[in-house]
Amino acid sequence: MVVPKAHALMIRSAVPLLLLLVSLLAVPVVQGFGVPGTSQTLNGYDTEGGSDPVCWLGRSDPAVISGADNLQINEDEQVKATPWDNKLYKSFMLTGQVELLPACPTGVTIEGDAPAELAERGEVMRSGRYYDYVVRGSIDLDQLAGAYVFSDDGPRIAVQVILCEVAVTGFCSPFVHEHANDRLIATNSTVKMETGDRHGDTHVHAPTVFIDLPNAAAGGVQQFVVTVPTRVNKPGFFFGVAAFQVFTATTAGTDTDDALKYKYDVANALSTRLITYQEPPQILTVTSGMQIVVAILIAVSGAVLCGVLFQTVKYRGHSALKLSQVPFLIVFLIAAIVATLCTFLLNPKSDLYCQLRAPLVLIPLQIMYAITIGRLWRINQVISPLLMIRADVGKKQSCSSTASRKFFNVLTFISMIGNHVTCRCRGGKRGSVSTPGSVRVKVTDLQLSIIVLVFTLPQIILQILNLVLQPSRMVVDYNIDESIGKATCDTQRRAATSLDMWGWYLLILLFVLILFLTFECRSLPSLFNETQEIYNSILISILAIAIGLATIRLSDSPTTSPDVAYFIRVLIVLVMTLNAALRKMLPKLSLARSGKPVLINKLVTDHRRSFDKSSTTAPSYNSMNSA
C-alpha cells in the first residue's frame, strides 16, 4: 500500500508531538480557573506565583518549504515558511506557528540572578554601567524533539538577558526582540542602536553569550552557568528574564538541511523580578575655588612657621632659648609645620588620603602638645625647689595642689626609671632629677625626651593599629534615593570602636590635662612658665574644635557642599599649630633679638618681690610669658 506524501508528512510531524505528550504526562497538573489570558502555562512565570521556565517550540519542515507538487494540501491550507532571524542558525525558516508549551520538557530549566551589587549588597543599579547577571540552566537532550543539537558553528546554545520596560512592554518574553524589529521595519526607522539602548523603546537585551555543547551527541543532561554582562543606558524600571535558544534536528552532519528542525526558546524571570536603574549619582566634591583658598592658607601658615623656625635656629645661642631647651622647641616647630602642610589630606580624594590623614596630622599634633606638657613638668622641677626656700610663699607660688603634685611625681618617677635604664645600657651616669631637699635641679634632654615619648607613644601605636586593623577608605555618602552623594572617609566602625576617632579623643584628653596643669601652675615665674600662653592656646584650640565640629555636624548632609567641612577641618588644625607656636615662640624671640641676658636667680628674686607686693591680690598673668 502506498501512503500519500501528505499522510507521510503528517505521520512524521506527529512524532515530536507524541514525545511532547509523554513528557507532559510526567508534569503534575496545576489546577487553575482556566481564564484565557491569565494562565497560559501550568506553572510558568506567566502565572501567579509561577516559578518554572516557559518554553516555546518552532518547526522548520523542508518538505513544506520546498512546496513539492504531490503535496496533497489545499492552497488555502498551505503553511507559509517565515524567515526567522537569529544568531545560531541564520537560514532557519519557520513553518507554521510558534507553539507555547504548557510546560517545558523534563530536564529543561533556566534561572537568572540579578547582579551581586543589587542582590547581595543592595546597591542602586546605575545606567551606563555594565553589570554581571548570572544565568544557570540545564537541557536534557533526550527529552527534546530532534536527536541532534546544531547551529552554524556546531552544537551550541545562545544565552541572553532581557530587561523589559515595565510600563510599556507587557509580558516579557524572548520574542519582544522580534516584535520590536517588526515595528521598527514598519515605521522605516533608521535609528542606530548601541549596546544598552532600548530596542523599539520597549526593552534592553544583553549581547548574546554562546555556550558550546561538545558532548551533545552523547545526549543526556547538559548543564551550564554563564555570566552575562548587561548595560542599560537610560534609567527606568524593568522586569528581567533570562533566556536561551537551542536548535535540534532529526539528522546530523551534512543532512541537516533536509532534516526536520526544531527551535526551542526557553525563558524564566530573574530571581529579582523588578530591577531599577538610576542615573549615575551627582557626587559633590570640594570646589576648585575652595581648594585654592585652602592651599593659600596652608602655604601662608607654613611660611610663617618656617620663619619662626629659622629665627629659632638663628638665635639658638641666646640664654632665653637655651634655658627653654632649644632642641625641643625646634622639634615642636617641625611637628607644627608637618601637621600644617598635611591638612590637605583632610579632603578625601582617595583611600590613600583617608589612610594617611590621621597619622600625618594627629601624630605631629600629639608631639607638639607632648612637648608642651613635658616643659610644664620641667618648669615645675626646676623652679619649685627655688621657690620653696621660703616655705611661707613657696607653696603658694608652685604647683602645690594634691592632684598636680601627684601627677608630676609620677612623671618624675617615670623619667628616673627611663633615665636609669638608658644610662645603664650606655654605661653612663644618670642626670639629676628633683629630690627632696634639693635646691638646684637639672632636667636633662634625655629625661624630657622620656616624658615626651610617654605622651606620644600611645598615639603612634594607635595610628599603627588603625592602619593595620581598620584601614580607612573613601566611600560615598548618599541621600535617601542615592541621587546625590559626597565622598567621605569611613572605617565602617561606630565612634566608640573606631581607632580613627580614638586618635582625636586621645589628643583632646591631652588638651584637658594640659588645661588643668596650666591652671594649677599659674603662679610660677613667668619667664620659665608659659602657663598663661599655654592655657590660652589650649582654650582657644578646644573652643575651635567645639565650634568647628558643631558647624560640621549641622551641615553634615550628603546634599550640602563639602567645602564647609573641608575648610573648617583645615582651620581647626591651623588654629592648633599657629596659635600654640606663635604664643610660645614670639616672646622668646623678642627677648633674643633684644640681646638682654636672662638670669635664673634674678628671675626668682624679682618674682618673689612681685609676689610680696601683690600677696593680698590674685596673681596676674604676664603678657610677655614665654617658654
Side-chain angles (χ1 to χ4, degrees), residues 285-298 344 347 349 561-571:
T285 59
V286 177
T287 61
S288 57
M290 179 56 68
Q291 292 188 54
I292 292 173
V293 170
V294 169
I296 293 173
L297 278 177
I298 294 173
F344 75 94
N347 179 16
K349 291 185 176 182
S561 172
D563 288 3
V564 177
Y566 178 47
F567 180 77
I568 291 177
R569 288 190 178 102
V570 171
L571 200 59

Side-chain angles (χ1 to χ4, degrees), residues 173-193:
S173 74
F175 301 99
V176 294
H177 180 72
E178 284 77 11
H179 295 161
N181 274 340
D182 290 342
R183 188 169 59 256
L184 293 175
I185 292 173
T187 57
N188 297 319
S189 175
T190 58
V191 177
K192 184 178 180 181
M193 302 291 296

